[in-house]
Amino acid sequence: MFKIAFLTSLRFYQRFLSPLKPPVCRYYPSCSEYAFWQFEKNNAFFAFFLTSFRILRCNPLFRGGFDYPRVFKVFKGGTLCFKPKFLAQKKLNFLYIPCEDKGFYLVKIIFKGN
């Protein structure tokens, strides 16, 4: 229930409030997109904690840069299989890239028009 409320409020912010102010986020993806991905892929408490920490780091004292959300996902079947035909069909939206602490970085794929 909290997850849906956070996701709805984040989409409202992204569509109606964010365009009214200049883009000032020091990270990519933006803090609101980072929060949306966290709430979409993790439980609400963990996502709230990570999003709060990210917002505290989004200031001139930190360098900024790429900061993809980490998600913890259990893959069933034991192996990761990447099928290139998904890229041709443009159905693949995210990649899970393993990181050092048994979690995964969540990276969004952006397709440019031909």
Side-chain angles (χ1 to χ4, degrees), residues 86-102:
F86 286 163
L87 287 176
Q89 296 173 357
K90 297 184 181 181
K91 290 184 180 179
L92 188 64
N93 295 329
F94 296 99
L95 290 176
Y96 292 101
I97 299 176
C99 60
E100 64 276 355
D101 60 354
K102 296 184 181 178

Side-chain angles (χ1 to χ4, degrees), residues 18-34:
S18 183
L20 300 176
K21 63 182 194 74
V24 293
C25 191
R26 304 180 64 79
Y27 289 99
Y28 179 83
S30 68
C31 292
S32 62
E33 192 66 25
Y34 179 91

Side-chain angles (χ1 to χ4, degrees), residues 2 8-9 12 18 27 38 56 58 61 64 70 77 82 95 107:
F2 290 115
T8 305
S9 63
F12 177 80
S18 183
Y27 289 99
Q38 286 290 358
L56 289 174
C58 193
L61 299 177
R70 289 187 184 181
F82 183 76
L95 290 176
V107 179

